[in-house]
Amino acid sequence: MGQRCSDTRPLFFDKVVVPSSNVLGAEGAGFKVAMGAFDNTRPPVASGAVGVARRAMDEAIKYARERITMGTPILNHQVIAFMLADMATGIEAARLTREANTMLASMAKVFAGDHCNKVCADAVQIFGGAGFNVEYPVEKLMRDAKIFQLYEGTSQIQKLIISRHMAARDDLAPWARKPPARVSAPAPIDSPSRGNRTAFLNSQMCM
């Protein structure tokens, strides 16, 4: 369907025997190790989705500047302008969700993957009938985008992971395993300099 440079295919292991000397880690722990690896692989997938979305947005902006209807580029029509604004807003938000821990990795992956698909679909919509043709790149980008909702765990799996972490936490602050150490504010300073005021405000923000 898409990402045709990626040679992806299933592997079947039938009656495979692994010698004990070739076993990595403890026997039976492979699934847990594999699941833990997703904390590090889902954020790069999110980054890939951001890249595809950005390309689709750039193509849509370029076309919207060139395509004239009713005497003006379609970029000047509010409906098109708002679609482009939504694209840019979501892309910038997705760029910020890249921390590597289980809940945030899933958040990054599902948000970027879903937004990438929306951006690519909207880019095709902005191109109109031309967007359905292979002469323009947005149809390829739309095909490429779909995989970001599938591999490294589907969007639905990411939401399941997120909801389970939410149910298990008392605090959803964005740190991985425990809150940072509390930082005590310095004692008030008489007539503080600008630098001292900045240090005091920074310490307050850490509390």
Side-chain angles (χ1 to χ4, degrees):
M1 180 178 180
Q3 297 200 12
R4 294 178 181 176
C5 288
S6 174
D7 188 11
T8 305
R9 62 192 67 240
L11 294 176
F12 298 94
F13 298 92
D14 185 18
K15 299 179 181 179
V16 173
V17 177
V18 178
S20 58
S21 59
N22 292 344
V23 174
L24 300 177
E27 185 176 350
F31 181 78
K32 184 177 180 180
V33 171
M35 293 300 101
F38 284 136
D39 293 351
N40 296 314
T41 59
R42 282 171 178 154
V45 169
S47 295
V50 169
V52 172
R54 177 62 187 269
R55 170 73 191 283
M57 181 183 71
D58 289 347
E59 294 290 345
I61 292 172
K62 179 182 176 182
Y63 184 81
R65 285 172 174 162
E66 297 172 352
R67 180 76 169 94
I68 305 295
T69 64
M70 292 176 281
T72 187
I74 62 173
L75 180 63
N76 294 330
H77 299 316
Q78 190 179 74
V79 65
I80 301 297
F82 281 12
M83 290 171 73
L84 294 171
D86 286 342
M87 289 180 185
T89 301
I91 288 170
E92 290 305 308
R95 290 177 62 189
L96 301 176
T97 56
R98 293 177 294 177
E99 294 190 43
N101 65 76
T102 302
M103 184 176 73
L104 293 180
S106 289
M107 288 179 173
K109 201 267 184 183
V110 69
F111 182 80
D114 287 353
H115 187 65
C116 177
N117 275 266
K118 183 179 187 305
V119 169
C120 291
D122 285 349
V124 171
Q125 195 72 15
I126 288 172
F127 273 74
F132 196 75
N133 297 323
V134 297
E135 286 81 4
Y136 292 92
V138 287
E139 64 85 25
K140 174 190 179 296
L141 295 172
M142 187 173 180
R143 289 187 285 105
D144 288 345
K146 185 57 188 176
I147 193 63
F148 294 114
Q149 293 179 316
L150 301 175
Y151 63 6
E152 303 300 307
T154 64
S155 293
Q156 290 72 27
I157 288 294
Q158 307 312 315
K159 292 177 181 180
L160 181 62
I161 292 169
I162 294 164
S163 63
R164 286 180 175 175
H165 277 264
M166 292 174 66
R169 287 171 174 238
D170 293 326
D171 186 352
L172 290 179
W175 39 76
R177 294 174 179 83
K178 61 181 180 179
R182 185 179 179 85
V183 179
S184 298
I189 302 172
D190 293 335
S191 301
S193 65
R194 180 176 179 181
N196 285 335
R197 288 198 301 271
T198 300
F200 178 77
L201 291 173
N202 287 341
S203 66
Q204 293 283 63
M205 291 172 66
C206 292
M207 297 179 65

